Amino acid sequence: MVRISNNLVGLLNFITFLLSIPILGAGIWLSRQSSTECEKFLQGPVIALGIFLMVVSLAGLVGACCRVSWLLWFYLLVMFVLIVLLFCFTIFAFAVTNKGAGEVVSGKGYKQYKLGDYSNWLQKRVNSTKNWNKIRSCLIDGKVCKSLVDDGVSNNITEDQFSQKKLSPIQSGCCIPPNDCSFAYISPTNWTTQSNSSFTDPDCSLWNSESVLCFSCGSCKAGVLDNIKHDWKKVAIVNIIFLVFLVIVYSIGCCAFRNNREDNSWNKYPRRYP
């Protein structure tokens, strides 16, 4: 009789195999349709994830249902490595996101962000020219600053009205100059220096109202890191739930592997009756 653990492992891996098909298809579609740097960046990981899930689920499915012990052993090995990696990543994600927060600006509805407030590891990632060029390209392609106008913030809005807007960390860091610069407001994405302006923040000299805005500023990098921080915390929480699920599946897989070995031993050395 096929044992319950084998059935469960087979069912779970069959579902995983079905899920891997649309994931792999999405990666292939991105590779053919991608026109921006962001889309090209996504296609590789999506295809790799689809292939990985397909191979591992097939190993678990065949190993459990066809009683192939070496395939099931391979499946359990991959599951064990995945559990260890996810556990390490979860701890790491909480460690690098425990620093950094936006600073409340008096009389403003949005916050300001400083790069130095975040963990050194995250700072090094965004300060890398290669990494930041890709991120900046994605921000520009995503029109994060143009959305200030598209969302109903017209060019005729007053400075007092604009100051009460709830901006995202990226919009606050990349689309407007830092508050310390004391620039004169013209429109949401158009600010100019005043004749008596004097500032020490290097971001002030990087601001350009034409098309550059503040995409090269430290405040922009800080806004991106604030988004990453909150996203990573959400991912870490989901990882905890996923880890519990993987441990349960791994335990069931171990039972199925033991069943396979017992059945193979029984077939190899059948009991003989007098």
Side-chain angles (χ1 to χ4, degrees), residues 67 95 98 115 128 147 151 219:
R67 323 305 284 274
N98 66 344
L115 185 59
S128 166
S147 64
D151 289 343
S219 61

Side-chain angles (χ1 to χ4, degrees), residues 109-126:
Y110 51 84
K111 298 180 180 180
Q112 297 268 282
Y113 301 86
K114 296 187 181 297
L115 185 59
D117 293 340
Y118 296 86
S119 71
N120 292 331
W121 187 86
L122 287 176
Q123 289 184 51
K124 289 179 180 178
R125 302 288 82 74
V126 296

Side-chain angles (χ1 to χ4, degrees), residues 132-186:
W132 184 247
N133 284 341
K134 291 182 178 179
I135 295 172
R136 182 173 56 187
S137 174
C138 290
L139 294 176
I140 295 173
D141 290 340
K143 297 180 174 57
V144 294
C145 294
K146 187 176 181 296
S147 64
L148 291 180
V149 177
D150 293 343
D151 289 343
V153 183
S154 70
N155 289 331
N156 296 323
I157 191 172
T158 66
E159 183 176 4
D160 289 338
Q161 290 173 323
F162 178 73
S163 66
Q164 299 308 310
K165 298 297 295 183
K166 300 293 183 182
L167 305 183
S168 70
I170 291 178
Q171 287 176 326
S172 174
C174 306
C175 305
I176 62 175
N179 192 62
D180 295 338
C181 300
S182 300
F183 284 177
Y185 171 88
I186 299 176

Side-chain angles (χ1 to χ4, degrees), residues 59-103:
L61 180 62
V62 176
C65 296
C66 299
R67 323 305 284 274
V68 182
S69 294
W70 72 269
L71 274 178
L72 201 53
W73 179 88
F74 168 76
Y75 169 76
L76 291 174
L77 176 64
V78 174
M79 289 283 289
F80 177 78
V81 173
L82 184 60
I83 288 171
V84 172
L85 290 177
L86 281 177
F87 177 79
C88 292
F89 173 77
T90 302
I91 299 298
F92 176 75
F94 278 117
V96 298
T97 58
N98 66 344
K99 293 177 60 179
E103 298 178 2

Side-chain angles (χ1 to χ4, degrees), residues 12 17 90 142 192 197 223 261 272 274:
L12 290 172
F17 176 78
T90 302
T192 184
S197 295
R261 294 190 62 181
R272 296 181 179 177

